[in-house]
Amino acid sequence: MPTILGQNQYGKAENRVVKITRDGDTHHIKDLNVSVSLSGDMDEVHYSGSNANVLPTDTTKNTVYAFAKEYGIESAEQFGIHLARHFVTSQEPIHRARIRIEEYAWERIETSDANSKFIGADEVKHSFVRQGQEVRTAQITFDGENWEVVTGLKDLTVMNSTNSEFWGYVKDRYTTLQEAYDRILATQVHARWRYNWTSDEDRLPNWEKSYAQARKHLLQAFAETYSLSLQQTLYQMGSRVINSRSEVDEVRLSLPNKHHFLVDLEPFGLKNENEVYFAADRPYGLIEATVLRDGVEPRIPVDMTNL
Ligand SMILES: O=c1[nH]c(=O)c2[nH]c(=O)[nH]c2[nH]1
């Protein structure tokens, strides 16, 4: 059966690039998911396997990271224009480049209240919360006598672009991780907290206010903790809620460590001064713990995967 090749395109999809611009203490984030798709004189690679016209998809990925350093990321559009122009004008066989970009928006975590004195600054300028993500959850149980209310949130994504270290850990023959003295700390907060309201006789908490306050304390503790591990940050987040909200007795947190790896730009003659990161989606560290008011029995299930 004779066949012919129809429309075709190729490239590297979903390059997760995070660019931190450090303006003194004030940091700015650009977080993109960039997909490159190229087409042109590509008949031969399909018909005979000759790669003579093929710029590797791996190279298109490297170009995304290198351009983040060389041009910066002013806007998704401008970044895409640089990339598309580069592929079409530098490679004769490539006639068309399509760059698709998703941009994830981050806003600063507000910390300008009494707690910021703990870190000796008026305002934290390196802590961000990703917009438009989180889901509020609630579980209400009643056995005719006692109530149990467990409220929570999931998919609240936060990042500190500095004030995070990780070193001094156990090293065995399989350990390759380099100690980090200034790393990005990012996580997607999954939290549940249990109220000590159990009886119709007791005064009801203000659920709306309590949720907003618990969320605020989680965010502020994340932003204001100088972190030596995500475990330490987790404990600070849980404790902050317990210490600030008398209606809450137990907080359970599940925090994936959303790793950001510095991209090696040396092969392209570029120096990466803690600016351009690869945001890996898996595997991820998963740090989980319950923080309790002293004297209280834990009741939130340990495994929250389906909650
Ligand atoms: O905050 C961290 N805690 C860990 O337990 C851990 N393990 C690891 O490889 N990186 C990290 N980071």
mmCIF file of all heavy atoms in Angstrom, residues 164-166 169 177 183 185 227-232 257 259 285 287, ligand 1:
data_model
loop_
_atom_site.group_PDB
_atom_site.id
_atom_site.type_symbol
_atom_site.label_atom_id
_atom_site.label_comp_id
_atom_site.label_asym_id
_atom_site.label_seq_id
_atom_site.Cartn_x
_atom_site.Cartn_y
_atom_site.Cartn_z
ATOM 1 N N SER A 164 15.945 29.289 52.522
ATOM 2 C CA SER A 164 15.776 27.844 52.686
ATOM 3 C C SER A 164 17.118 27.168 52.466
ATOM 4 O O SER A 164 17.805 27.453 51.477
ATOM 5 C CB SER A 164 14.754 27.319 51.679
ATOM 6 O OG SER A 164 14.805 25.903 51.627
ATOM 7 N N GLU A 165 17.474 26.293 53.407
ATOM 8 C CA GLU A 165 18.710 25.509 53.316
ATOM 9 C C GLU A 165 18.358 24.048 53.563
ATOM 10 O O GLU A 165 17.325 23.747 54.154
ATOM 11 C CB GLU A 165 19.721 25.961 54.389
ATOM 12 C CG GLU A 165 19.988 27.453 54.406
ATOM 13 C CD GLU A 165 21.086 27.861 55.393
ATOM 14 O OE1 GLU A 165 21.792 26.980 55.924
ATOM 15 O OE2 GLU A 165 21.220 29.076 55.623
ATOM 16 N N PHE A 166 19.248 23.158 53.159
ATOM 17 C CA PHE A 166 19.098 21.740 53.525
ATOM 18 C C PHE A 166 20.477 21.108 53.513
ATOM 19 O O PHE A 166 21.078 20.934 52.462
ATOM 20 C CB PHE A 166 18.141 21.013 52.556
ATOM 21 C CG PHE A 166 17.826 19.609 53.011
ATOM 22 C CD1 PHE A 166 17.086 19.377 54.169
ATOM 23 C CD2 PHE A 166 18.277 18.510 52.291
ATOM 24 C CE1 PHE A 166 16.807 18.087 54.602
ATOM 25 C CE2 PHE A 166 17.996 17.212 52.720
ATOM 26 C CZ PHE A 166 17.261 17.008 53.866
ATOM 27 N N TYR A 169 22.461 16.324 56.642
ATOM 28 C CA TYR A 169 21.656 15.102 56.670
ATOM 29 C C TYR A 169 22.558 13.873 56.617
ATOM 30 O O TYR A 169 23.759 13.967 56.336
ATOM 31 C CB TYR A 169 20.671 15.096 55.488
ATOM 32 C CG TYR A 169 21.267 15.594 54.194
ATOM 33 C CD1 TYR A 169 22.084 14.779 53.410
ATOM 34 C CD2 TYR A 169 21.044 16.911 53.778
ATOM 35 C CE1 TYR A 169 22.648 15.256 52.248
ATOM 36 C CE2 TYR A 169 21.608 17.390 52.617
ATOM 37 C CZ TYR A 169 22.408 16.563 51.851
ATOM 38 O OH TYR A 169 22.982 17.041 50.709
ATOM 39 N N LEU A 177 22.851 13.741 46.821
ATOM 40 C CA LEU A 177 22.334 15.106 46.976
ATOM 41 C C LEU A 177 23.411 16.043 47.523
ATOM 42 O O LEU A 177 24.065 15.735 48.515
ATOM 43 C CB LEU A 177 21.139 15.091 47.946
ATOM 44 C CG LEU A 177 20.415 16.432 48.115
ATOM 45 C CD1 LEU A 177 19.613 16.767 46.875
ATOM 46 C CD2 LEU A 177 19.514 16.416 49.349
ATOM 47 N N ARG A 183 18.354 27.569 48.700
ATOM 48 C CA ARG A 183 17.579 26.885 47.673
ATOM 49 C C ARG A 183 16.171 27.468 47.613
ATOM 50 O O ARG A 183 15.769 28.226 48.501
ATOM 51 C CB ARG A 183 17.519 25.375 47.976
ATOM 52 C CG ARG A 183 16.748 25.037 49.233
ATOM 53 C CD ARG A 183 16.571 23.525 49.444
ATOM 54 N NE ARG A 183 15.725 23.285 50.618
ATOM 55 C CZ ARG A 183 15.253 22.112 50.990
ATOM 56 N NH1 ARG A 183 15.559 21.023 50.300
ATOM 57 N NH2 ARG A 183 14.480 21.982 52.043
ATOM 58 N N LEU A 185 12.306 26.896 48.078
ATOM 59 C CA LEU A 185 11.433 25.976 48.803
ATOM 60 C C LEU A 185 10.010 26.205 48.293
ATOM 61 O O LEU A 185 9.471 27.304 48.423
ATOM 62 C CB LEU A 185 11.500 26.241 50.307
ATOM 63 C CG LEU A 185 10.727 25.231 51.166
ATOM 64 C CD1 LEU A 185 11.374 23.850 51.099
ATOM 65 C CD2 LEU A 185 10.642 25.683 52.622
ATOM 66 N N SER A 227 14.022 28.439 56.750
ATOM 67 C CA SER A 227 13.825 26.995 56.774
ATOM 68 C C SER A 227 15.122 26.210 56.632
ATOM 69 O O SER A 227 15.887 26.413 55.691
ATOM 70 C CB SER A 227 12.891 26.609 55.628
ATOM 71 O OG SER A 227 12.722 25.205 55.594
ATOM 72 N N LEU A 228 15.320 25.268 57.559
ATOM 73 C CA LEU A 228 16.438 24.327 57.433
ATOM 74 C C LEU A 228 15.961 22.993 56.878
ATOM 75 O O LEU A 228 16.768 22.121 56.556
ATOM 76 C CB LEU A 228 17.125 24.153 58.790
ATOM 77 C CG LEU A 228 17.713 25.454 59.348
ATOM 78 C CD1 LEU A 228 18.306 25.245 60.738
ATOM 79 C CD2 LEU A 228 18.777 26.037 58.418
ATOM 80 N N SER A 229 14.652 22.818 56.798
ATOM 81 C CA SER A 229 14.051 21.648 56.140
ATOM 82 C C SER A 229 12.567 21.933 55.990
ATOM 83 O O SER A 229 11.996 22.753 56.726
ATOM 84 C CB SER A 229 14.237 20.371 56.976
ATOM 85 O OG SER A 229 13.511 20.480 58.183
ATOM 86 N N LEU A 230 11.948 21.231 55.055
ATOM 87 C CA LEU A 230 10.501 21.382 54.895
ATOM 88 C C LEU A 230 9.779 20.860 56.142
ATOM 89 O O LEU A 230 8.720 21.359 56.515
ATOM 90 C CB LEU A 230 10.042 20.653 53.621
ATOM 91 C CG LEU A 230 8.575 20.812 53.211
ATOM 92 C CD1 LEU A 230 8.145 22.268 53.140
ATOM 93 C CD2 LEU A 230 8.335 20.127 51.865
ATOM 94 N N GLN A 231 10.392 19.871 56.812
ATOM 95 C CA GLN A 231 9.806 19.352 58.048
ATOM 96 C C GLN A 231 9.681 20.474 59.089
ATOM 97 O O GLN A 231 8.667 20.596 59.783
ATOM 98 C CB GLN A 231 10.695 18.222 58.618
ATOM 99 C CG GLN A 231 10.627 16.909 57.846
ATOM 100 C CD GLN A 231 11.629 16.785 56.711
ATOM 101 O OE1 GLN A 231 12.055 17.784 56.107
ATOM 102 N NE2 GLN A 231 12.022 15.563 56.394
ATOM 103 N N GLN A 232 10.744 21.272 59.211
ATOM 104 C CA GLN A 232 10.730 22.377 60.177
ATOM 105 C C GLN A 232 9.661 23.407 59.795
ATOM 106 O O GLN A 232 8.924 23.902 60.652
ATOM 107 C CB GLN A 232 12.121 23.028 60.207
ATOM 108 C CG GLN A 232 12.224 24.152 61.219
ATOM 109 C CD GLN A 232 13.394 25.088 60.925
ATOM 110 O OE1 GLN A 232 13.885 25.151 59.791
ATOM 111 N NE2 GLN A 232 13.836 25.799 61.942
ATOM 112 N N ASN A 257 7.430 18.296 48.398
ATOM 113 C CA ASN A 257 8.562 19.198 48.161
ATOM 114 C C ASN A 257 8.688 19.371 46.652
ATOM 115 O O ASN A 257 9.131 18.466 45.952
ATOM 116 C CB ASN A 257 9.826 18.576 48.767
ATOM 117 C CG ASN A 257 10.979 19.556 48.852
ATOM 118 O OD1 ASN A 257 10.897 20.656 48.299
ATOM 119 N ND2 ASN A 257 12.046 19.166 49.526
ATOM 120 N N HIS A 259 10.470 20.274 43.885
ATOM 121 C CA HIS A 259 11.884 20.558 43.671
ATOM 122 C C HIS A 259 12.115 21.500 42.488
ATOM 123 O O HIS A 259 11.504 21.342 41.437
ATOM 124 C CB HIS A 259 12.641 19.256 43.411
ATOM 125 C CG HIS A 259 12.506 18.255 44.517
ATOM 126 N ND1 HIS A 259 12.981 18.483 45.793
ATOM 127 C CD2 HIS A 259 11.927 17.033 44.553
ATOM 128 C CE1 HIS A 259 12.711 17.436 46.560
ATOM 129 N NE2 HIS A 259 12.068 16.540 45.837
ATOM 130 N N GLY A 285 9.642 14.855 47.113
ATOM 131 C CA GLY A 285 9.646 14.494 48.525
ATOM 132 C C GLY A 285 8.241 14.715 49.050
ATOM 133 O O GLY A 285 7.530 15.602 48.568
ATOM 134 N N ILE A 287 6.384 15.305 52.695
ATOM 135 C CA ILE A 287 6.606 15.510 54.121
ATOM 136 C C ILE A 287 5.234 15.664 54.777
ATOM 137 O O ILE A 287 4.462 16.537 54.380
ATOM 138 C CB ILE A 287 7.472 16.788 54.344
ATOM 139 C CG1 ILE A 287 8.715 16.807 53.437
ATOM 140 C CG2 ILE A 287 7.821 16.971 55.807
ATOM 141 C CD1 ILE A 287 9.708 15.696 53.651
HETATM 142 O O1 LIG B 1 13.390 19.795 53.300
HETATM 143 C C1 LIG B 1 13.802 18.679 52.943
HETATM 144 N N1 LIG B 1 13.590 17.593 53.720
HETATM 145 C C2 LIG B 1 14.014 16.340 53.386
HETATM 146 O O2 LIG B 1 13.815 15.348 54.148
HETATM 147 C C3 LIG B 1 14.699 16.204 52.161
HETATM 148 N N2 LIG B 1 15.247 15.136 51.521
HETATM 149 C C4 LIG B 1 15.782 15.595 50.358
HETATM 150 O O3 LIG B 1 16.342 14.881 49.505
HETATM 151 N N3 LIG B 1 15.586 16.942 50.250
HETATM 152 C C5 LIG B 1 14.908 17.342 51.356
HETATM 153 N N4 LIG B 1 14.465 18.558 51.760
#
